[in-house]
Amino acid sequence: MSPVRSLVLVGASLCAGGLAALVYFQESDLVLLREHLNHPFALGALACLLMAWAAAGLRWRWLRLLIGIVAGLVATVAMLGGLLILSFTSTEEAGFVDGPDPYRLRLQKSMAGLGPDTVTWLSVRRDGGLLSREWDLGCFNDDDPDDGFDSVSWTGPNSIEIRVGDGRTFPVALDPGSGRPRSTVALNC
């Protein structure tokens, strides 16, 4: 393997590792990053595999072997860790509630731990093509049926009302300029 190819692979590995760290530690409100590039464990495993491929071009056999073993172990741990976390944090789409253009409310549901409880996640999305943004709005765990999510509705161009099982309502105002919620609601989350 040529030294240029090894350098390109090392650079690609560092970029993949940097992107993995960025999406793991820094939450973004851009929908493109949140939904399509938010795979830090897969990106970490890719970084390890690229580094092992780059090491194949090294002159010293012992260093090639050492880098290959370490990269293989780290990639395996990253993939298994990602699968384990995914099994406990997977969400399913529960629908959208259209609001005044360009806003929509997104509802997602997931299981709460190992029990029969369901957690409903709400977020507000401002559509704008590649620059679409989404912010967390609320989280409701039906562990206590009174705190379980019941409904959500738009009460104005920049205001939302969330209702829970016992009839309580939580008004949430949106910033008129950005669309970001000025407050969030969390019950048993």
Side-chain angles (χ1 to χ4, degrees), residues 11-29:
S13 172
L14 292 174
C15 288
L19 187 57
L22 180 70
V23 297
Y24 184 78
F25 291 111
Q26 181 69 36
E27 188 167 322
S28 174
D29 56 1

Side-chain angles (χ1 to χ4, degrees), residues 37-183:
L37 294 177
N38 193 14
H39 305 289
F41 294 100
L43 290 169
L46 175 64
C48 291
L49 295 176
L50 287 171
M51 186 59 73
W53 191 12
L58 292 175
R59 187 178 347 174
W60 299 293
R61 181 183 170 140
W62 65 270
L63 188 57
R64 280 193 313 246
L65 186 63
L66 179 67
I67 291 174
I69 290 171
V70 170
L73 287 174
V74 172
T76 302
V77 168
M79 291 304 292
L80 290 176
L83 287 173
L84 183 66
I85 288 175
L86 182 64
S87 67
F88 286 107
T89 62
S90 63
T91 60
E92 64 182 50
E93 290 292 330
F96 286 90
V97 176
D98 290 331
D101 210 22
Y103 298 108
R104 293 188 301 164
L105 299 175
R106 180 181 187 190
L107 286 81
Q108 295 177 303
K109 293 189 182 266
S110 67
M111 297 303 290
L114 299 175
D117 307 339
T118 301
V119 177
T120 302
W121 304 90
L122 292 134
S123 57
V124 62
R125 181 179 285 195
R126 187 184 75 203
D127 291 325
L130 290 175
L131 297 178
S132 293
R133 297 190 176 277
E134 186 171 350
W135 299 278
D136 293 330
L137 188 59
C139 171
F140 303 91
N141 187 338
D142 70 357
D143 182 32
D144 178 357
D146 291 342
D147 293 341
F149 173 77
D150 182 46
S151 65
V152 63
S153 60
W154 289 89
T155 57
N158 295 315
S159 59
I160 299 164
E161 184 177 84
I162 303 168
R163 181 177 302 275
V164 293
D166 66 0
R168 287 178 290 163
T169 59
F170 299 93
V172 178
L174 304 180
D175 181 81
S178 68
R180 180 185 299 267
R182 291 190 173 165
S183 63

